[in-house]
Structure formats: structure tokens, C-alpha cells
């Protein structure tokens, strides 16, 4: 298939820091659509806003896409037939095309200084350029260029009529040309604005489908006028609704909301994050919520994209992440869990794998481990009403009887799970109690907690014989 007929999508982030969830979703949809159509997914770095450039941010972009398992077809590191794939390395390309527009009358030099621009405020308090420099003669323009006056190059917008286009999500969109300001194409530093560079790059890189946020819907007619001025075919547009923090506020990179690295640090799995954000703005057919990347590629559809914004629900993502954690093989689970055990209160003091067996099905993200293990050292005096349990007809007197009968038996055995179960069953038989009652008495006595991630046998196994016997004897003394 030639590039002219091939689906080619691009992800074009600015290297300004971490990977915001909204940006990652745009990348994901572009990736899914390209792969579903056996096309290409291109990474392009839009770094012309030098003031916002953050060193190391390109590495963050690459690491995020790698963790998310999005394979890049062409990009700064991968190369390709349409590079360079970093905008600051394409400066001469943009100037060439800007000058071509000037020759066509579709753009013009503007020499207005800041003072004049600041004065261009209409009755509504809105700044809007008034085409002042469009009326300079060629001789006047050349004279000012010869003497080195600072300039920008502006697009010459039509003032009458309507510009329209078809969006694959929003359908027919039209904007009166009178609303289109003569935007800057080339800045005074010689670098292009986003509004110009994205058009030049998308055309030269043969991008077939442009995916971006719907805040660009009203700007797209400006871009189309550029395509038309050059006589180029327009790409197809897919504008995406925003991801919201709540009913009124968008998730915002500027205010430190939701970014990929923070979620990884909290102990979310990359595949769970990707699965969840795929569902923020796209509705698959059927009830399925958990998707592998291959399933997302197979099932993704433009027709399933929403025209309404989505609210980011971290609780829902946590639930989904928990489902992924449950399905990990135990060795993989422990490899990912160990850094969180190392940050917890049990660091270097207990067998992590014993806790891991209890917690794998009980956590939604790995950072939950830190809180989930705190109980083991929070051993405090047991109150008598802790033992009131209607289900097993336990009170403090029954609890004391169970402990005084069971502790001597425990002192005689090696602490293995089989031996511990055997003692508990023998004690319940001796005392004519349900085994659940004995298990409950011992669990509370061992931990001072009514609810723990595991029963008395698991707690005794984790604590070991010496500590377990000490705690049981303390419980006896408290109950007396």
C-alpha cells in the first residue's frame, strides 16, 4: 500500500514535562486506529515553544509510550522517510512554505510592535489584529526587511463567507470567516507557531487522519485555508472531547492533575491505565470492560467515540487495576510488590511473600500494601467487647477459655500452616465450639484487629512462634 492510501496517524506532544492523561488518550486512540488499519503511528515532537521546553521531557514521552506498549512506526529515534521528527530541526522547511504563502498573497509580513498590538482592543475588550501590515507595498516591506526590522508572518484570512469541514465525530462544522483572525505563522524568532507547523508537518508526513482535542474545532478552518492555499488535500479530522476532573473542570496538566508517571508511582499497572483511559470517551459494544491491547486494536471504532466529555473516576480505575493485579502470576506480583513492602513498616522484618499471598487479591494498587501491612505492628490492648460475636456466641469468657486451652498446645508444635490448623480443629473439638469461633479468637488475640487480610493461621505463620505465643499470652492477661 502506498503512503497516499495508507492510514497514518501521529502523536505530536510538546516536551513540557510529564505525560498528562488527556495527551496519553489522544496517543492511544491514534495508535489503535492506525494499528487496526495496518497503518503507521508517528511520533513528532512539537518543541517550538522554547520557553516551556523541559529537559528530559522527550525521554518521558518515549518511556510512557514504551510502558503503554505503543509501538512507534516513525519518530525522532526511529527515523523514517519524512523526518526530521522534531520541529526545531525543521525550521528552514517552515520558512520556505511561509514565503510561498506570502508570494501567493495568502500570508504577509507584519512589523507591528507590542505597543501597537496592545492598543488593538475592541469594545468587548478583545484583542484582534486589524490587517494593518497587509496594506504595505512590496517596496515598503523590502525596505523594512533590509534594515532589519523585527517581523512576524501572518496568515491572510478571508473576511467574508464561511469555512466548513466534516469531522468524523462531530459531523459538519462551519465557522464564519469574519471570526478568523490573521494568525501568526512564523514568530519573530523565526520559528513557526503550532498553528502553522502542524499543517506543514501533517502534509509532508502524509498524515491521513488527525486526532486532537475538540478545543481545535474552531481553529481547524484556519488550517484548512492553509491546505487550500497550497493546493493540498486536507486530512480527515477526528476531534476528541475532554476528560473532566468533575462536572465543571477539565483535567489540567497546568494544575498538576492526573499524569501517567504519578499513577505508575502509586502502583497502577500500565496496561490497566491504558485499558481505563480507552473507555474515557469511547464506548465499546457489549458489556466488556477489561481489554488487552490486542482486543482494543480489534474493537476500537470511530463510531464509538463520544461527543460528550468524560469524567475521570480514579475509583473505577483502581477497581480495574485490582482485576489486573489478581491475574498476575505470583512471581510477577511479588516483583512489582516488593518496592512497596520496602517502603512499608515491615521493611526487612517479615517474609514479604507471606504477606503477598494474603494481599494479592485484596489490593487495588500496589501502594495499598503500605497501609495494608501497618496492622501487624499496631498491636494494642484488646478490649472485652471486641470479642462479642453473635455469629459464634463468643464473649470475653469464651475467648479466655479458648486461649488458655490453645496456647499450651501451640507451644508444643512447629509452626506450619498444617500444624496450626490441626491444633485449632483439636481445640474446637475439645471445647465443643465451632472451629470458626476458635479461629476468630486467635486472630483477634494475635493482631488486636477484628478484621485482617488473612486468618489466624496466616497471622501466626507471619509472626512466627515466639512472637505469636507472646501476643497470645498478653491477650490472656488483658482478658483477665
Amino acid at each position: 500500500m502506498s503512503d497516499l492510501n495508507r492510514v497514518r496517524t501521529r502523536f505530536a506532544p510538546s516536551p513540557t514535562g510529564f505525560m498528562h492523561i488527556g495527551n496519553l488518550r489522544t496517543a492511544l486512540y491514534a495508535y489503535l486506529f492506525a494499528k487496526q488499519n495496518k497503518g503507521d503511528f508517528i511520533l513528532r515532537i512539537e518543541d517550538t515553544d522554547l520557553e516551556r521546553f523541559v529537559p528530559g521531557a522527550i525521554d518521558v514521552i518515549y518511556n510512557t509510550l514504551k510502558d503503554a506498549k505503543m509501538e512507534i512506526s516513525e519518530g525522532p529515534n526511529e527515523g523514517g522517510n519524512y523526518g526530521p521528527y522534531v520541529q526545531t530541526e525543521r525550521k528552514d522547511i517552515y520558512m520556505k512554505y511561509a514565503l510561498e504563502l506570502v508570494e501567493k498573497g495568502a500570508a504577509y509580513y507584519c512589523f507591528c510592535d507590542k505597543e501597537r498590538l496592545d492598543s488593538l482592543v475592541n469594545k468587548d475588550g478583545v484583542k484582534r489584529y486589524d490587517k494593518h501590515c497587509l496594506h504595505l507595498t512590496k517596496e515598503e516591506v523590502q525596505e523594512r526587511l533590509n534594515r532589519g526590522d523585527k517581523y512576524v508572518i501572518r496568515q491572510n484570512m478571508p473576511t467574508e463567507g464561511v469555512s466548513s469541514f466534516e469531522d468524523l465525530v462531530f459531523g459538519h462544522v462551519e465557522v464564519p470567516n469574519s471570526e478568523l483572525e490573521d494568525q501568526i505563522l512564523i514568530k519573530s524568532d523565526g520559528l513557526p507557531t503550532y498553528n502553522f507547523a502542524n499543517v506543514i508537518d501533517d502534509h509532508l508526513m502524509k498524515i491521513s487522519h488527525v486526532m486532537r482535542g475538540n478545543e481545535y474545532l474552531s481553529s481547524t478552518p484556519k488550517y484548512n485555508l492553509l491546505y487550500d492555499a497550497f493546493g493540498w488535500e486536507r486530512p480527515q479530522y477526528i476531534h476528541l472531547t475532554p476528560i473532566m476532573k468533575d462536572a465543571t473542570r477539565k483535567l489540567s496538566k497546568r494544575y498538576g492533575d492526573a499524569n501517567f508517571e504519578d499513577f505508575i508511582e502509586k502502583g497502577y499497572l500500565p496496561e490497566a491505565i491504558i485499558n481505563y483511559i480507552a473507555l474515557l470517551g469511547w464506548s465499546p459494544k457489549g458489556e466488556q470492560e477489561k481489554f488487552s491491547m490486542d482486543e482494543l486494536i480489534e474493537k476500537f471504532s470511530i463510531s464509538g467515540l463520544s461527543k460528550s466529555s468524560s469524567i475521570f473516576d480514579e475509583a473505577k480505575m483502581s477497581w480495574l487495576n485490582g482485576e489486573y493485579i489478581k491475574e498476575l502470576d505470583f512471581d510477577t506480583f511479588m516483583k512489582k510488590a516488593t518496592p512497596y513492602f520496602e517502603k512499608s513498616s515491615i521493611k526487612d522484618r517479615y517474609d514479604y511473600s507471606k504477606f503477598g499471598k494474603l494481599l494479592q487479591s485484596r489490593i487495588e494498587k500496589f501502594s495499598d500494601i503500605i497501609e495494608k501491612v501497618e496492622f501487624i505492628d499496631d498491636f494494642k490492648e484488646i478490649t472485652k467487647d471486641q470479642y462479642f460475636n453473635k455469629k459464634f456466641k463468643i464473649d470475653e469468657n469464651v475467648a479466655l477459655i479458648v486461649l488458655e486451652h490453645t496456647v499450651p498446645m501451640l507451644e508444643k508444635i512447629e509452626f506450619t500452616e498444617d500444624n496450626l490448623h490441626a491444633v485449632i480443629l483439636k481445640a474446637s473439638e475439645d471445647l465443643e465450639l465451632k472451629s470458626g469461633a476458635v479461629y476468630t479468637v486467635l486472630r483477634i488475640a494475635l493482631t488486636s484487629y477484628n478484621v485482617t487480610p488473612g486468618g489466624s493461621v496466616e497471622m501466626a505463620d507471619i509472626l512466627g512462634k515466639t512472637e505469636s505465643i507472646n501476643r497470645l499470652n498478653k491477650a490472656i492477661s488483658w482478658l483477665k
Side-chain angles (χ1 to χ4, degrees):
M1 182 185 294
S2 73
D3 285 347
L4 290 174
N5 301 312
R6 189 177 181 86
V7 168
R8 287 171 61 82
T9 64
R10 46 76 161 173
F11 177 48
S14 299
T16 55
F18 53 74
M19 178 72 79
H20 182 251
I21 286 298
N23 284 358
L24 185 58
R25 188 193 62 175
T26 300
L28 175 62
Y29 287 174
Y31 176 79
L32 296 177
F33 186 71
K35 293 304 174 185
Q36 186 180 78
N37 289 280
K38 297 181 170 46
D40 302 316
F41 173 66
I42 291 95
L43 174 65
R44 184 173 75 224
I45 303 299
E46 300 196 341
D47 62 342
T48 56
D49 189 345
L50 300 180
E51 290 183 0
R52 296 180 64 218
F53 178 82
V54 174
I58 295 176
D59 291 336
V60 170
I61 293 166
Y62 263 101
N63 291 338
T64 300
L65 295 178
K66 180 181 177 182
D67 287 345
K69 295 184 169 52
M70 291 187 224
E71 299 166 9
I72 301 165
S73 305
E74 301 168 23
N77 294 349
E78 295 75 16
N81 295 327
Y82 305 101
Y85 294 88
V86 177
Q87 284 187 337
T88 50
E89 298 173 16
R90 299 169 63 83
K91 181 177 178 180
D92 292 343
I93 296 173
Y94 305 123
M95 183 58 79
K96 170 194 166 191
Y97 283 101
L99 295 177
E100 184 178 326
L101 288 176
V102 171
E103 286 297 313
K104 291 173 178 285
Y108 58 94
Y109 290 95
C110 173
F111 300 93
C112 293
D113 58 23
K114 184 176 184 299
E115 184 178 5
R116 182 175 191 281
L117 294 173
D118 288 343
S119 71
L120 299 174
V121 180
N122 66 17
K123 61 182 179 181
D124 298 318
V126 177
K127 286 185 185 179
R128 185 179 177 86
Y129 191 64
D130 59 357
K131 290 183 178 284
H132 174 75
C133 288
L134 174 63
H135 307 296
L136 295 175
T137 65
K138 282 189 176 182
E139 292 74 23
E140 287 173 315
V141 168
Q142 192 59 53
E143 182 183 343
R144 299 195 68 164
L145 291 174
N146 289 343
R147 70 178 185 230
D149 287 2
K150 289 184 69 173
Y151 67 87
V152 299
I153 295 178
R154 290 182 181 272
Q155 185 176 0
N156 184 16
M157 297 293 185
T159 56
E160 298 178 350
V162 171
S163 290
S164 64
F165 67 98
E166 299 298 321
D167 183 81
L168 295 183
V169 175
F170 289 89
H172 185 74
V173 178
E174 59 181 44
V175 175
N177 290 331
S178 59
E179 295 181 6
L180 304 178
E181 185 181 9
D182 287 8
Q183 64 181 351
I184 294 173
L185 305 179
I186 299 292
K187 298 179 289 186
S188 59
D189 60 5
L191 288 171
T193 58
Y194 164 82
N195 292 318
F196 186 49
N198 88 85
V199 170
I200 302 302
D201 291 342
D202 285 344
H203 171 74
L204 295 180
M205 294 179 185
K206 298 189 178 349
I207 302 303
S208 64
H209 294 75
V210 171
M211 286 193 182
R212 59 184 169 223
N214 68 351
E215 65 268 26
Y216 289 104
L217 271 172
S218 60
S219 299
T220 299
K222 300 177 185 179
Y223 309 148
N224 285 336
L225 287 167
L226 291 171
Y227 282 103
D228 297 348
F230 286 117
W232 295 341
E233 183 180 350
R234 301 175 182 181
Q236 295 196 63
Y237 295 107
I238 302 165
H239 284 89
L240 308 172
T241 55
I243 300 174
M244 306 294 286
K245 187 184 186 79
D246 53 38
T248 59
R249 294 179 296 169
K250 286 170 57 175
L251 279 182
S252 171
K253 181 176 179 178
R254 183 171 298 173
Y255 299 115
D257 286 336
N259 74 79
F260 183 79
E261 286 183 305
D262 283 350
F263 286 128
I264 295 296
E265 186 73 20
K266 285 182 182 180
Y268 287 90
L269 294 165
E271 53 267 38
I273 300 172
I274 290 298
N275 188 160
Y276 178 66
I277 67 170
L279 303 175
L280 290 174
W282 169 66
S283 298
K285 294 178 180 177
E287 301 300 316
Q288 183 178 351
E289 292 186 289
K290 189 169 178 293
F291 295 89
S292 67
M293 182 63 87
D294 286 343
E295 288 173 322
L296 287 173
I297 291 171
E298 178 189 349
K299 296 180 184 297
F300 180 75
S301 64
I302 301 301
S303 62
L305 292 175
S306 175
K307 292 182 182 179
S308 303
S309 56
S310 304
I311 294 178
F312 187 89
D313 182 354
E314 189 169 349
K316 178 68 178 290
M317 188 169 77
S318 294
W319 167 81
L320 187 60
N321 195 65
E323 297 302 299
Y324 276 86
I325 288 175
K326 288 173 188 173
E327 293 182 1
L328 295 174
D329 66 77
F330 188 66
D331 286 346
T332 302
F333 170 79
M334 284 307 301
K335 182 178 180 181
K336 294 179 181 296
T338 296
Y340 296 90
F341 283 120
E342 292 291 325
K343 294 176 185 176
S344 76
S345 60
I346 70 166
K347 176 175 165 54
D348 299 332
R349 294 172 48 243
Y350 294 100
D351 183 340
Y352 300 157
S353 66
K354 291 181 178 180
F355 273 104
K357 288 173 182 174
L358 297 178
L359 294 177
Q360 183 170 2
S361 63
R362 292 178 168 89
I363 61 171
E364 292 189 327
K365 54 188 181 296
F366 286 100
S367 58
D368 292 345
I369 287 171
I370 296 170
E371 182 181 349
K372 291 280 188 186
V373 301
E374 286 179 350
F375 77 93
I376 203 72
D377 291 323
D378 188 28
F379 186 61
K380 52 189 177 292
E381 184 169 347
I382 298 166
T383 60
K384 291 181 179 181
D385 57 358
Q386 270 182 278
Y387 272 115
F388 184 72
N389 186 310
K390 287 182 178 179
K391 180 179 178 182
F392 296 120
K393 295 184 172 58
I394 301 171
D395 61 22
E396 68 271 16
N397 297 317
V398 174
L400 187 58
I401 291 168
V402 169
L403 291 172
E404 289 185 325
H405 183 80
T406 309
V407 169
M409 299 167 70
L410 292 171
E411 288 175 333
K412 296 174 183 177
I413 65 166
E414 179 185 353
F415 267 36
T416 66
E417 291 196 9
D418 287 344
N419 288 346
L420 289 164
H421 281 299
V423 164
I424 290 169
L425 293 174
K426 180 67 168 63
S428 63
E429 183 181 326
D430 293 346
L431 299 172
E432 297 183 349
L433 291 170
K434 291 182 178 180
S435 60
V438 180
Y439 280 113
T440 298
V441 168
L442 290 175
R443 178 170 50 77
I444 295 174
L446 285 166
T447 65
S448 71
Y449 274 72
N450 286 49
V451 178
T452 57
S456 53
V457 168
E458 290 89 352
M459 297 300 101
D461 183 44
I462 286 170
L463 291 165
K465 184 171 182 176
T466 301
E467 178 64 14
S468 294
I469 298 297
N470 286 341
R471 290 189 177 198
L472 294 173
N473 283 326
K474 277 186 181 179
I476 289 171
S477 67
W478 288 330
L479 291 172
K480 285 183 174 179

